[in-house]
Amino acid sequence: MSDKFKAIVIDNQNEKFTREIKEINKTDLKDGNVLVKIDYSDLNYKDALILNNGGKIVRKFPFVPGIDFSGKVIESEDSQFKKDDNVILTGFRVGEAYFGGFAQYAKVDSNFLIKTPKELDNKKAMMLGTAGFTALQCAFAIKAREELLLGEKVKDVLVTGSTGGVGSIAVMVLSKMGYDVHVVTGKKDKNDYLKSLGAKNIIDRKEFEGESKLLEKGTWDGVVDTVGGAALTKILAQVKPNGIVAACGNAGGIKINTTVMPFIIRGVKLWGIDSSGASIKRREFLWNEATKLIDFNKIQSFTKELSFNELIETFPKLLKGEFFGRAIVNPNK
Ligand SMILES: NC(=O)c1ccc[n+]([C@@H]2O[C@H](COP(=O)([O-])OP(=O)(O)OC[C@H]3O[C@@H](n4cnc5c(N)ncnc54)[C@H](OP(=O)(O)O)[C@@H]3O)[C@@H](O)[C@H]2O)c1
């Protein structure tokens, strides 16, 4: 390979934030022991925050963002990974503390990588990315009610932020698992899209605004919450006895103002999801399950493939809630 390659570089010299598509050098990749030629990356909410102004997440500049990537191993100092192995990276603070996936090459710690399952490919892997991986983690947290915890069968599951990256894939996975999926959205024009993913019932976001009672009618066996804030407060009061809320996001706020009642009267479980730090064992399990639970033709139909230039044009729309579906990033486009 030539030592030079293309990357998005963000910088913050003298408090002036910049983002540029630049040529950088292989010697700029200082971390890790596996060099990967990137096939695809993707756009997540966190990527959009970082591309906007560093999002108070990136602390060292200049920096290459991109929290996910998939690609082929070029050089490896770890015998577990050989040249030409296809690999997936999501999270582990890559794109936050270590140079990330918005580049043609990345070098990372081999402990952060998993091999792309044979039934997947590197493009499909990024059609899911952190969003899909998180959705799978949330769905299995809910399934734990009937499996791991040997509780009642799950029937009614609520998904908030349902037209978003995590939400959309959660709807698809949960309906494939056989559950009745109820979705919350603020987008009135996306009913057909949500139905096509498997949503049975569509609820306006406004229904989850305002004060909630200590306990409301128990309605949900499981909840995938990508929104947090006041909506989560209300939702916790509506969970059935021994139901599980997989809380993964804060698109609507970070504060929850709840009471102990849902937990001590109904045994509600609030299950926090951190996809970035998930163990390799869990990653391998979930990425393999993806091949059984995801309809990739469907995801392809709402996935846009972006060049670096198009990514820079698109991320502000995600922050304004004007983008829906999935965006994969092709560094070679
Ligand atoms: N814990 C983890 O490991 C993890 C991993 C990935 C993502 N996340 C977090 O999960 C959340 C969703 O991520 P994403 O990638 O799916 O983002 P996204 O694609 O931007 O989707 C977020 C969705 O939330 C809804 N929403 C937006 N603003 C809202 C508001 N003010 N009040 C209520 N709902 C609002 C919208 O859906 P509707 O219009 O359909 O309501 C939007 O599509 C983010 O907070 C992200 O940081 C966490």
Side-chain angles (χ1 to χ4, degrees):
M1 70 177 263
S2 142
D3 274 358
K4 286 200 179 296
F5 62 91
K6 207 169 57 163
I8 296 184
V9 179
I10 56 172
D11 207 347
N12 199 12
Q13 299 301 323
N14 306 319
E15 310 270 300
K16 188 178 178 297
F17 187 83
T18 55
R19 76 187 76 71
E20 284 176 277
I21 301 163
K22 278 191 167 173
E23 279 219 314
I24 62 167
N25 208 294
K26 198 176 147 189
T27 52
D28 293 323
L29 300 175
K30 304 225 187 291
D31 301 305
N33 54 358
V34 181
L35 179 70
V36 178
K37 182 176 189 309
I38 296 177
D39 289 329
Y40 288 98
S41 181
D42 67 339
L43 174 61
N44 297 282
Y45 192 78
K46 199 187 262 180
D47 291 310
L49 292 173
I50 292 171
L51 284 168
N52 189 40
N53 58 11
K56 295 193 179 142
I57 300 166
V58 174
R59 302 283 179 190
K60 63 173 187 191
F61 296 95
F63 189 75
V64 177
I67 65 168
D68 298 339
F69 65 77
S70 59
K72 265 195 168 32
V73 172
I74 299 292
E75 290 165 12
S76 170
E77 290 166 28
D78 181 335
S79 57
Q80 282 191 79
F81 293 95
K82 299 195 175 51
K83 190 172 182 307
D84 292 333
D85 278 348
N86 287 311
V87 288
I88 303 174
L89 176 293
T90 61
F92 280 127
R93 306 210 62 219
V94 171
E96 299 177 36
Y98 311 109
F99 278 16
F102 296 152
Q104 289 174 310
Y105 289 87
K107 201 170 174 196
V108 291
D109 191 320
S110 51
N111 293 318
F112 298 170
L113 293 169
I114 65 152
K115 289 189 186 150
T116 309
K118 284 198 172 47
E119 298 77 11
L120 281 184
D121 57 42
N122 288 341
K123 185 172 181 180
K124 285 180 179 157
M126 286 300 105
M127 280 156 61
L128 297 184
T130 281
F133 178 68
T134 305
L136 283 159
Q137 244 185 295
C138 290
F140 276 91
I142 286 164
K143 205 171 176 20
R145 184 192 192 205
E146 57 191 35
E147 294 198 340
L148 194 67
L149 304 177
L150 306 177
E152 299 86 342
K153 185 127 187 51
V154 172
K155 184 175 176 289
D156 293 296
V157 181
L158 184 74
V159 177
T160 63
S162 59
T163 65
V166 178
S168 296
I169 299 171
V171 175
M172 185 184 274
V173 170
L174 291 161
S175 81
K176 180 80 180 174
M177 284 176 166
Y179 305 144
D180 290 346
V181 185
H182 308 256
V183 301
V184 184
T185 184
K187 299 190 183 76
K188 292 196 170 53
D189 59 334
K190 292 290 177 264
N191 285 9
D192 289 348
Y193 166 73
L194 288 164
K195 289 254 157 85
S196 80
L197 297 176
K200 199 175 169 201
N201 174 29
I202 298 171
I203 309 169
D204 193 313
R205 198 194 279 172
K206 288 203 177 78
E207 305 253 337
F208 293 88
E209 288 170 0
E211 288 283 300
S212 64
K213 296 186 195 147
L214 292 182
L215 289 172
E216 301 189 358
K217 187 181 170 217
T219 311
W220 319 115
D221 297 289
V223 181
V224 173
D225 180 51
T226 72
V227 160
L232 178 54
T233 305
K234 202 167 190 62
I235 283 164
L236 283 167
Q238 296 180 356
V239 178
K240 283 188 206 167
N242 298 312
I244 292 179
V245 178
C248 72
N250 59 353
I254 58 166
K255 287 218 165 124
I256 51 171
N257 181 24
T258 187
T259 71
V260 294
M261 292 316 206
F263 308 108
I264 64 172
I265 304 291
R266 290 187 179 161
V268 169
K269 280 142 195 82
L270 180 57
W271 192 315
I273 300 290
D274 166 27
S275 64
S276 179
S279 69
I280 290 293
K281 203 168 172 184
R282 184 171 286 238
R283 285 168 194 262
E284 285 172 346
F285 169 76
L286 291 169
W287 281 104
N288 277 293
E289 289 296 314
T291 60
K292 299 172 217 157
L293 292 166
I294 305 275
D295 178 344
F296 284 96
N297 288 331
K298 205 170 268 176
I299 297 197
Q300 172 82 57
S301 70
F302 58 83
T303 297
K304 293 187 182 70
E305 184 169 327
L306 308 177
S307 64
F308 283 160
N309 272 316
E310 290 165 329
L311 170 63
I312 287 171
E313 283 161 20
T314 303
F315 84 80
K317 294 185 193 145
L318 189 88
L319 291 178
K320 282 191 243 158
E322 291 167 7
F323 181 86
F324 94 102
R326 290 288 296 147
I328 55 171
V329 180
N330 180 349
N332 306 305
K333 189 175 168 191

